[in-house]
Amino acid sequence: MADEFDLIVVGGGPGGYVAAIRAAQLKLKVAVVEAKHLGGICLNWGCIPTKALLRSSEVNHLLHNLGEFGFSADNIQFDLDKIVKRSRGVSKQLSSGIAHLLKKNKVTVVEGYGRLTGGGHLAVNGADGKPKAMLHAPHIILATGARPRQIPGIEADGQLIWSYFEAMVPAAMPKSLLVIGSGAIGIEFASFYRNMGAEVTVVEMMDRVLPVEDAEISALARKSFEKQGMKIITSANVKGVVKGTDNVTVTVEAGGKEQQITVDRVIAAVGIVGNVENLGLEGTKVKVERTHIVVDGFGRTGEPGVYAIGDVAGPPWLAHKASHEGVVCVEHIAGKNPHPFETGNIPGCTYCRPQVASVGLTEAKAKEAGHELKIGRFPFIGNGKAIAMGEPEGLIKTIFDAKTGELLGAHMIGAEVTEMIQGYVIARQLETTEAELMHTVFPHPTISEAMHESVLDAYGQVIHF
């Protein structure tokens, strides 16, 4: 006999556990099937531990630039083991917190791997492959996440070539490394290791770093990274690697020329692959494209009663996207008539130094969509709080529809912009126009004042620049 539930969630990451808790709030009987760690990749090997590492690298950077603030110190050193241990401790604390939240909401947690067997049934096997449980529910949400994409011939080996798993728990600090890929994951690791003193080279196939960001912001980011000492090669391909005893020689082709770069370690950060294998999708009407499950705005797949959310359901591959997608999916299942999920107001954040954040359309995409634009810009050098903090490097860029005043997009680079982007996200969610933003009072002195000034600049009313 199968254990009966109203809803089964396969995967306990930021999509799965949030969906389960929301379902429990709606009085559904819920089970979560998780094979390894509650919180998923995000909490255990992604969003959270990398931010702990980056915080340590920011402290290291500040300690080596104390003179600007009137301090001096000798013999500054760091203990890599303690830095990694702190990062892992933060993840463990939060993972335990999720277990408490699920228990508090009376969600049943089943440890193992789930596989659809038809008719609303889900077989759960243990890590040893042996049957562990049989569950049944009219609704099953697949929230199995994704894993690092492997480059043929340059697969991560855990020693010389790292994925983000190995990059988060280094046994020793490499003196040099090469990062393949300059998306958020690649640039965050490049920023961490550079701030910790390693020589860093970034190789990007596209013509600019952070290629999903606005081109103007990408250019400013590259300028800042190179000023910090990073070497960046764009429009480039890795042609091959030769492993030494304790180093790697990478052949990089760019501009029709090849060069060999020898480094201690290589980090491969070229995207992710959805975890769609061994879920029992064969024989169902679930459609998979490019390793991701195809869903509609409510998370529904082609198979009645089967849903998918989060990274396994495609981009943007962001924890907050997965969480919100889970809420929409569950509220639809419970008959609450939520608005279908859309990605236009999902903010993107990269926690490098300087930070990068954005929401909505880039300038190029806005033009491509046929909008007549009004664009505002405000540099951090014109902001008193940024200068006082010693963070004068940055820019806020806002893009409006010239005819309607709609905020089409906002793009930011600089200190703490990952915290500030939410102001523009709320503005877009509420369909705010330039008029409301221009008449909103921003506190002084704050970096957020630059957000106000950027809006004013779009309409020729900027005050402080």
Side-chain angles (χ1 to χ4, degrees):
M1 291 289 291
D3 291 330
E4 294 289 336
F5 296 90
D6 298 316
L7 171 68
I8 302 168
V9 182
V10 185
Y17 84 76
V18 169
I21 290 173
R22 181 65 186 125
Q25 291 174 344
L26 294 170
K27 308 305 180 184
L28 300 182
K29 184 181 179 183
V30 189
V32 168
V33 178
E34 171 55 49
K36 296 180 180 179
H37 306 289
L38 291 172
I41 291 296
C42 170
L43 194 154
N44 294 281
W45 293 100
C47 320
I48 300 301
T50 54
K51 302 314 161 281
L53 292 176
L54 285 161
R55 178 58 174 164
S56 293
S57 74
E58 290 168 3
V59 171
N60 190 58
H61 168 71
L62 283 172
L63 287 172
H64 284 85
N65 292 273
L66 290 174
E68 178 184 348
F69 301 94
F71 294 87
S72 62
D74 297 323
N75 196 30
I76 297 170
Q77 300 180 47
F78 62 83
D79 186 324
L80 184 60
D81 287 342
K82 289 183 178 179
I83 289 172
V84 172
K85 185 177 179 180
R86 177 179 181 271
S87 171
R88 303 313 307 154
V90 170
S91 290
K92 184 177 180 181
Q93 177 182 342
L94 290 171
S95 183
S96 299
I98 290 171
H100 169 74
L101 288 172
L102 291 172
K103 183 178 180 179
K104 173 185 172 184
N105 284 278
K106 297 181 173 57
V107 174
T108 300
V109 177
V110 181
E111 186 175 339
Y113 296 85
R115 181 180 178 85
L116 299 170
T117 58
H121 287 87
L122 187 87
V124 181
N125 293 336
D128 57 4
K130 295 180 180 179
K132 194 167 184 179
M134 179 63 75
L135 312 179
H136 178 268
H139 306 285
I140 299 175
I141 296 176
L142 303 176
T144 51
R147 61 186 184 277
R149 182 183 299 278
Q150 299 284 356
I151 307 172
I154 318 176
E155 292 86 0
D157 59 15
Q159 299 297 320
L160 298 174
I161 301 176
W162 294 345
S163 69
Y164 56 73
F165 291 102
E166 295 82 19
M168 271 186 281
V169 289
M173 181 61 62
K175 293 182 179 178
S176 61
L177 76 153
L178 183 143
V179 180
I180 305 173
S182 73
I185 293 173
I187 283 297
E188 286 185 4
F189 279 121
S191 192
F192 168 73
Y193 281 101
R194 182 66 197 123
N195 279 344
M196 297 304 294
E199 294 296 323
V200 176
T201 300
V202 177
V203 176
E204 170 57 51
M205 182 176 67
M206 304 296 284
D207 61 356
R208 55 193 176 89
V209 296
L210 297 171
V212 302
E213 299 294 341
D214 184 86
E216 188 173 355
I217 300 299
S218 291
L220 289 172
R222 176 171 186 162
K223 184 178 179 180
S224 178
F225 299 151
E226 290 180 331
K227 183 179 177 182
Q228 295 170 33
M230 278 190 212
K231 297 176 183 176
I232 296 176
I233 308 171
T234 51
S235 301
N237 287 298
V238 174
K239 308 296 286 186
V241 300
V242 176
K243 298 179 184 179
T245 304
D246 198 32
N247 61 24
V248 185
T249 298
V250 183
T251 299
V252 179
E253 187 273 328
K257 297 180 180 180
E258 291 188 356
Q259 60 177 308
Q260 280 72 45
I261 303 171
T262 299
V263 292
D264 291 343
R265 299 291 183 268
V266 171
I267 297 176
V270 290
I272 61 176
V273 177
N275 293 323
V276 295
E277 300 86 0
N278 304 314
L279 294 177
L281 301 182
E282 309 82 11
T284 71
K285 295 179 181 178
V286 175
K287 187 176 181 181
V288 177
E289 290 183 354
R290 297 182 180 179
T291 78
H292 293 95
I293 295 173
V294 177
V295 297
D296 67 6
F298 299 108
R300 294 179 295 195
T301 70
E303 181 73 13
V306 177
Y307 310 77
I309 61 171
D311 286 356
V312 76
W317 299 293
L318 301 166
H320 45 283
K321 172 258 193 183
S323 296
H324 189 67
E325 210 170 14
V327 170
V328 170
C329 181
V330 164
E331 290 186 351
H332 171 74
I333 289 171
K336 294 296 181 181
N337 298 315
H339 291 291
F341 180 78
E342 298 177 356
T343 60
N345 290 340
I346 300 294
C349 297
T350 305
Y351 299 82
C352 47
R353 184 176 65 84
Q355 295 179 6
V356 174
S358 61
V359 66
L361 300 177
T362 64
E363 180 179 350
K365 290 291 185 182
K367 288 179 178 177
E368 189 180 303
H371 294 279
E372 182 183 340
L373 307 181
K374 281 188 176 292
I375 298 175
R377 299 173 179 84
F378 194 82
F380 275 31
I381 194 64
N383 178 270
K385 179 69 178 295
I387 295 171
M389 289 175 60
E391 299 284 358
E393 183 179 34
L395 179 76
I396 309 293
K397 178 177 180 178
T398 45
I399 303 169
F400 293 88
D401 183 285
K403 296 178 180 177
T404 66
E406 177 189 358
L407 176 63
L408 299 173
H411 308 274
M412 315 163 78
I413 181 170
E416 303 306 325
V417 296
T418 58
E419 297 290 340
M420 296 195 298
I421 190 63
Q422 189 62 15
Y424 287 135
V425 176
I426 292 171
R428 279 181 53 82
Q429 186 70 26
L430 297 178
E431 299 181 355
T432 302
T433 68
E434 92 291 353
E436 286 89 1
L437 286 168
M438 289 167 70
H439 288 90
T440 298
V441 178
F442 286 71
H444 175 79
T446 62
I447 306 177
S448 68
E449 289 176 279
M451 298 169 63
H452 189 213
E453 296 272 11
S454 179
V455 175
L456 294 173
D457 183 59
Y459 290 84
Q461 298 178 41
V462 64
I463 301 294
H464 291 99
F465 200 76

